[in-house]
Amino acid sequence: MPKVIGMLDKIIQDLTEKQWSFQPGAISPAELRLMAPLFEGDFQPARVGKKGERQRVEEIRGDWISWIDVLDPPAEIQAQIKLLNELKTQVNQNLFLGLKDFECHLAKYPIGSFYKRHIDRHAKESSRALTYIFYLHQDWKKEDGGELVIYQRSGEKIATITPESGSLVTFISDDFPHEVLSSRRERRSMTGWMHTQIIN
Ligand code: OGA
Ligand code: MN
């Protein structure tokens, strides 16, 4: 598996140097085709707000999500869960984040939906330390939109990322406000957070 090891090394290097990373080609087109049926299952409207007072607010966030049991994932994404476990180990060895666990959901953004600028680390749920996003749609083109825009805490825009099919984005959750721009096609991802506490 030299290719996989190589990519993890690059992620670690990026996280160390700039606290975020974009890796194209983390998942092959053939694997993406096998994953497509996962998006035909049951999805719930994603909500915003603190625990206990979560609400659907499409003006903020229009995606639909389906949680994955990372301890018993569907066969189609077992390789990615394995990679995430390996990433957790390497991040701990190199960046000393003390990651203990991770959570994961599939997300689909209907045409024209978006997720306004936000930070993933809720004040009341402070164990989220690392965000990761795999883009699982097929044949995504620049014109399809749906960019992930990443900002510095100071407000300066630092990257506008086209969600290329099969690519993987990682960043330190606390460091980067970010938003998802609207797209011209259904935008599909597998998104999650690594935590400094056991959550599963
Ligand atoms: C999120 C999020 C970014 C993306 O789900 O919190 O910011 O590119 N996703 O899908
Ligand atoms: Mn986010």
Side-chain angles (χ1 to χ4, degrees):
M1 305 256 267
K3 192 170 160 243
V4 171
I5 303 288
M7 187 178 70
L8 285 179
D9 287 344
K10 282 190 220 157
I11 295 174
I12 296 298
Q13 194 178 345
D14 283 346
L15 290 176
T16 305
E17 284 169 8
K18 57 178 188 176
Q19 293 75 55
W20 66 278
S21 179
F22 171 77
Q23 296 297 325
I27 305 177
S28 71
E31 283 179 284
L32 291 174
R33 273 197 296 280
L34 293 175
M35 290 176 190
L38 292 173
F39 288 87
E40 280 149 29
D42 225 9
F43 280 66
Q44 284 83 46
R47 296 168 196 275
V48 294
K50 287 175 274 190
K51 271 199 185 105
E53 37 190 280
R54 291 190 191 280
Q55 291 180 52
R56 177 64 164 179
V57 187
E58 283 184 14
E59 294 73 24
I60 299 177
R61 167 171 204 192
D63 58 326
W64 291 68
I65 60 174
S66 172
W67 287 96
I68 297 233
D69 181 356
V70 299
L71 302 175
D72 185 20
E76 296 91 327
I77 54 161
Q78 271 170 15
Q80 286 63 47
I81 299 296
K82 191 162 174 261
L83 179 81
L84 289 168
N85 272 302
E86 187 65 25
L87 176 65
K88 176 162 87 57
T89 302
Q90 292 212 21
V91 166
N92 284 342
Q93 284 168 358
N94 292 278
L95 285 97
F96 313 108
L97 287 191
L99 302 174
K100 296 210 168 58
D101 207 353
F102 60 92
E103 59 184 335
C104 181
H105 65 53
L106 301 174
K108 52 183 175 185
Y109 287 75
I111 294 171
S113 62
F114 48 79
Y115 191 166
K116 290 283 188 204
R117 184 165 150 169
H118 65 280
I119 294 177
D120 286 344
R121 184 167 186 157
H122 307 297
K124 284 204 172 165
E125 191 197 339
S126 57
S127 69
R128 277 183 179 178
L130 186 81
T131 300
Y132 63 85
I133 310 148
F134 289 96
Y135 295 110
L136 302 188
H137 36 243
Q138 299 173 61
D139 307 313
W140 199 262
K141 295 180 185 61
K142 201 171 188 301
E143 314 84 82
D144 295 330
E147 294 89 349
L148 170 66
V149 186
I150 304 182
Y151 300 88
Q152 300 278 22
R153 280 268 188 180
S154 62
E156 187 196 341
K157 193 186 284 185
I158 55 170
T160 300
I161 297 170
T162 295
E164 286 176 29
S165 302
S167 62
L168 168 61
V169 173
T170 46
F171 57 86
I172 303 296
S173 305
D174 211 17
D175 288 354
F176 302 106
H178 55 281
E179 69 178 318
V180 176
L181 304 183
S182 79
S183 60
R184 295 189 190 86
R185 282 176 58 198
E186 184 178 274
R187 180 188 191 274
R188 298 176 166 187
S189 61
M190 181 169 123
T191 304
W193 301 274
M194 299 208 180
H195 287 249
T196 54
Q197 286 174 12
I198 301 280
I199 49 156
N200 284 299

mmCIF file of all heavy atoms in Angstrom, residues 115 118-120 131 171 178 193, ligand 2:
data_model
loop_
_atom_site.group_PDB
_atom_site.id
_atom_site.type_symbol
_atom_site.label_atom_id
_atom_site.label_comp_id
_atom_site.label_asym_id
_atom_site.label_seq_id
_atom_site.Cartn_x
_atom_site.Cartn_y
_atom_site.Cartn_z
ATOM 1 N N TYR A 115 -23.984 25.681 2.697
ATOM 2 C CA TYR A 115 -23.806 25.715 4.154
ATOM 3 C C TYR A 115 -23.013 26.982 4.437
ATOM 4 O O TYR A 115 -21.845 27.085 4.066
ATOM 5 C CB TYR A 115 -23.065 24.452 4.617
ATOM 6 C CG TYR A 115 -23.019 24.185 6.114
ATOM 7 C CD1 TYR A 115 -22.628 22.941 6.586
ATOM 8 C CD2 TYR A 115 -23.363 25.158 7.053
ATOM 9 C CE1 TYR A 115 -22.577 22.657 7.953
ATOM 10 C CE2 TYR A 115 -23.325 24.876 8.415
ATOM 11 C CZ TYR A 115 -22.923 23.631 8.855
ATOM 12 O OH TYR A 115 -22.876 23.356 10.194
ATOM 13 N N HIS A 118 -19.196 28.883 8.942
ATOM 14 C CA HIS A 118 -19.322 28.388 10.324
ATOM 15 C C HIS A 118 -17.989 27.810 10.780
ATOM 16 O O HIS A 118 -17.073 27.641 9.990
ATOM 17 C CB HIS A 118 -20.414 27.315 10.399
ATOM 18 C CG HIS A 118 -20.079 26.077 9.609
ATOM 19 N ND1 HIS A 118 -20.245 26.007 8.243
ATOM 20 C CD2 HIS A 118 -19.547 24.885 9.972
ATOM 21 C CE1 HIS A 118 -19.849 24.830 7.802
ATOM 22 N NE2 HIS A 118 -19.404 24.123 8.836
ATOM 23 N N ILE A 119 -17.923 27.481 12.074
ATOM 24 C CA ILE A 119 -16.763 26.769 12.621
ATOM 25 C C ILE A 119 -17.280 25.441 13.162
ATOM 26 O O ILE A 119 -18.351 25.389 13.769
ATOM 27 C CB ILE A 119 -16.083 27.604 13.729
ATOM 28 C CG1 ILE A 119 -15.481 28.867 13.102
ATOM 29 C CG2 ILE A 119 -14.990 26.798 14.433
ATOM 30 C CD1 ILE A 119 -14.845 29.813 14.095
ATOM 31 N N ASP A 120 -16.559 24.350 12.916
ATOM 32 C CA ASP A 120 -17.073 23.029 13.284
ATOM 33 C C ASP A 120 -17.040 22.746 14.773
ATOM 34 O O ASP A 120 -17.746 21.866 15.253
ATOM 35 C CB ASP A 120 -16.276 21.927 12.568
ATOM 36 C CG ASP A 120 -16.638 21.847 11.101
ATOM 37 O OD1 ASP A 120 -17.672 22.399 10.697
ATOM 38 O OD2 ASP A 120 -15.870 21.210 10.352
ATOM 39 N N THR A 131 -11.215 18.010 11.320
ATOM 40 C CA THR A 131 -12.312 17.807 10.359
ATOM 41 C C THR A 131 -11.775 17.094 9.121
ATOM 42 O O THR A 131 -10.673 17.405 8.668
ATOM 43 C CB THR A 131 -12.878 19.173 9.912
ATOM 44 O OG1 THR A 131 -13.378 19.879 11.053
ATOM 45 C CG2 THR A 131 -13.997 19.012 8.893
ATOM 46 N N PHE A 171 -8.630 19.490 8.037
ATOM 47 C CA PHE A 171 -8.131 20.707 8.692
ATOM 48 C C PHE A 171 -8.372 20.662 10.197
ATOM 49 O O PHE A 171 -9.240 19.923 10.679
ATOM 50 C CB PHE A 171 -8.716 21.988 8.073
ATOM 51 C CG PHE A 171 -10.221 22.104 8.068
ATOM 52 C CD1 PHE A 171 -10.921 22.619 9.151
ATOM 53 C CD2 PHE A 171 -10.954 21.732 6.935
ATOM 54 C CE1 PHE A 171 -12.306 22.754 9.130
ATOM 55 C CE2 PHE A 171 -12.345 21.852 6.899
ATOM 56 C CZ PHE A 171 -13.015 22.370 8.002
ATOM 57 N N HIS A 178 -15.392 28.179 7.630
ATOM 58 C CA HIS A 178 -15.477 27.723 6.244
ATOM 59 C C HIS A 178 -16.931 27.713 5.808
ATOM 60 O O HIS A 178 -17.836 27.758 6.646
ATOM 61 C CB HIS A 178 -14.856 26.332 6.097
ATOM 62 C CG HIS A 178 -15.438 25.314 7.030
ATOM 63 N ND1 HIS A 178 -15.076 25.247 8.349
ATOM 64 C CD2 HIS A 178 -16.386 24.366 6.862
ATOM 65 C CE1 HIS A 178 -15.755 24.282 8.948
ATOM 66 N NE2 HIS A 178 -16.576 23.740 8.056
ATOM 67 N N TRP A 193 -15.485 14.176 12.065
ATOM 68 C CA TRP A 193 -14.605 14.869 13.008
ATOM 69 C C TRP A 193 -13.902 13.873 13.900
ATOM 70 O O TRP A 193 -14.514 12.917 14.387
ATOM 71 C CB TRP A 193 -15.446 15.836 13.862
ATOM 72 C CG TRP A 193 -16.129 16.825 12.990
ATOM 73 C CD1 TRP A 193 -15.614 18.006 12.546
ATOM 74 C CD2 TRP A 193 -17.432 16.715 12.397
ATOM 75 N NE1 TRP A 193 -16.508 18.633 11.705
ATOM 76 C CE2 TRP A 193 -17.632 17.856 11.602
ATOM 77 C CE3 TRP A 193 -18.427 15.744 12.449
ATOM 78 C CZ2 TRP A 193 -18.789 18.066 10.877
ATOM 79 C CZ3 TRP A 193 -19.587 15.951 11.727
ATOM 80 C CH2 TRP A 193 -19.763 17.107 10.960
HETATM 81 MN MN MN B 2 -18.130 22.486 8.638
#
